């Protein structure tokens, strides 16, 4: 089955620093990866869609200069939260869709709990 | 699913009961629908999916019903167990594995 590995699972950083979150598809190639943000007791909110080799598409209201997304290969996408502030503290989740020829659909990572202090 | 809300509806059931969780979606172009289970601190876990050319699909202890006329989706869990306690989300997607939109979510609490 399809597995998406997300790392780190938890991170605490100081205000003003940057944090990188990695999302890897372990046993399939992912044409498209999605990044979500989830606040406590709320649903998943799509932040951006990244396609391998091209610029990410950000949802309305998501600052592209603050949330840098890189999808340099078919198995890896990264989300960098730059100049983090306490209000960026949240649960970040990635999802990957396999390239054509598979039936994996959407596969989610296990999430990253970011706490900015 | 419909837009995100700030309050998570809760369904409390006794172990052994059947549970029904409902969801409304808004995009009439969506043709793929998924139910996910999310435990605290974890990513969504796939439960069952259904395409728009079907109105019912069954899995192990779970059944998904789709009513395209009223844009409504439901998840039925038979013989609910304490391990089923989690938050359940519906999600819908238009053709082509593009944007997946999540519903508000329902917290299922199962008492022994």
């Amino acid at each position: 089955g399809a597995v998406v590995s997300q790392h780190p699972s938890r991170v605490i950083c100081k205000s003003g620093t940057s944090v990188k979150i990695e999302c890897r598809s372990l046993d399939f190639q992912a044409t498209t990866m999605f990044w979500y943000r989830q606040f406590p007791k709320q649903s998943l909110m799509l932040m951006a869609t990244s396609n391998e080799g091209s610029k990410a598409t950000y949802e309305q209201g998501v600052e592209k200069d603050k949330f840098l997304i890189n999808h340099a290969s078919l198995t890896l996408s990264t989300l960098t939260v730059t100049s983090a502030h306490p209000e960026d503290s949240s649960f970040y989740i990635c999802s990957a869709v396999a390239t054509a020829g598979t039936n994996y659909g959407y596969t989610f990572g296990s999430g990253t709990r970011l706490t900015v202090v | 699913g419909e837009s995100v809300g700030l309050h998570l509806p809760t369904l409390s059931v006794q172990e052994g009961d059947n549970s029904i969780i409902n969801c409304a979606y808004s995009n009439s172009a969506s043709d793929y629908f998924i139910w996910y289970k999310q435990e605290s601190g974890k990513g969504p876990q796939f439960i069952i999916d259904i395409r728009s050319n079907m109105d019912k699909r069954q899995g192990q202890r779970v059944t998904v019903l789709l009513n395209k006329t009223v844009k409504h989706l439901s998840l039925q869990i038979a013989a609910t167990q304490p391990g089923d306690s989690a938050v359940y989300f519906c999600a819908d997607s238009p053709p082509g594995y593009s944007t997946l939109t999540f519903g508000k979510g329902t917290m299922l609490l199962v008492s022994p």
Side-chain angles (χ1 to χ4, degrees):
Chain A
V3 177
V4 170
S5 173
Q6 188 171 340
H7 180 80
S9 58
R10 289 177 179 272
V11 58
I12 300 173
C13 71
K14 293 184 177 180
S15 288
T17 61
S18 296
V19 173
K20 180 185 284 188
I21 302 169
E22 292 188 349
C23 181
R24 293 181 184 273
S25 56
L26 297 186
D27 48 3
F28 67 98
Q29 293 186 323
T31 308
T32 306
M33 288 188 174
F34 304 91
W35 287 95
Y36 293 84
R37 182 173 183 177
Q38 185 179 31
F39 291 108
K41 298 190 186 301
Q42 292 190 30
S43 189
L44 283 73
M45 290 281 292
L46 180 66
M47 298 174 67
T49 301
S50 74
N51 291 293
E52 184 266 339
S54 62
K55 289 185 179 180
T57 302
Y58 290 81
E59 294 299 301
Q60 191 172 11
V62 178
E63 300 175 58
K64 60 181 66 177
D65 294 330
K66 182 169 185 60
F67 299 100
L68 301 179
I69 291 172
N70 184 282
H71 192 162
S73 78
L74 283 172
T75 59
L76 174 64
S77 176
T78 60
L79 168 67
T80 301
V81 183
T82 63
S83 186
H85 292 282
E87 57 265 32
D88 298 325
S89 298
S90 189
F91 193 53
Y92 293 87
I93 308 169
C94 71
S95 172
V97 176
T99 53
T102 69
N103 195 31
Y104 293 152
Y106 301 91
T107 304
F108 284 83
S110 54
T112 298
R113 173 73 60 194
L114 170 63
T115 304
V116 184
V117 298
Chain B
E2 290 190 324
S3 59
V4 173
L6 296 178
H7 302 284
L8 208 57
T10 299
L11 174 65
S12 296
V13 301
Q14 294 286 322
E15 182 178 3
D17 287 351
N18 295 330
S19 303
I20 299 176
I21 300 172
N22 296 302
C23 176
Y25 65 95
S26 57
N27 188 354
S28 56
S30 290
D31 71 343
Y32 182 51
F33 307 86
I34 312 168
W35 279 100
Y36 289 98
K37 173 185 180 182
Q38 187 180 30
E39 296 175 319
S40 181
K42 297 183 179 180
Q45 175 187 350
F46 173 93
I47 301 174
I48 192 168
D49 60 1
I50 190 169
R51 296 215 173 258
S52 58
N53 60 348
M54 302 174 69
D55 52 21
K56 181 179 180 179
R57 190 165 187 227
Q58 289 183 292
Q60 187 177 14
R61 283 201 306 120
V62 294
T63 301
V64 55
L65 299 178
L66 173 64
N67 186 330
K68 295 181 289 294
T69 302
V70 294
K71 295 201 282 288
H72 183 269
L73 202 64
S74 70
L75 176 70
Q76 300 176 2
I77 304 175
T80 315
Q81 302 167 0
D84 294 328
S85 294
V87 178
Y88 290 80
F89 292 100
C90 69
D92 62 284
S93 171
Y97 286 118
S98 57
T99 308
L100 188 63
T101 303
F102 280 79
K104 296 180 183 179
T106 298
M107 179 174 286
L108 177 65
L109 297 176
V110 184
S111 305

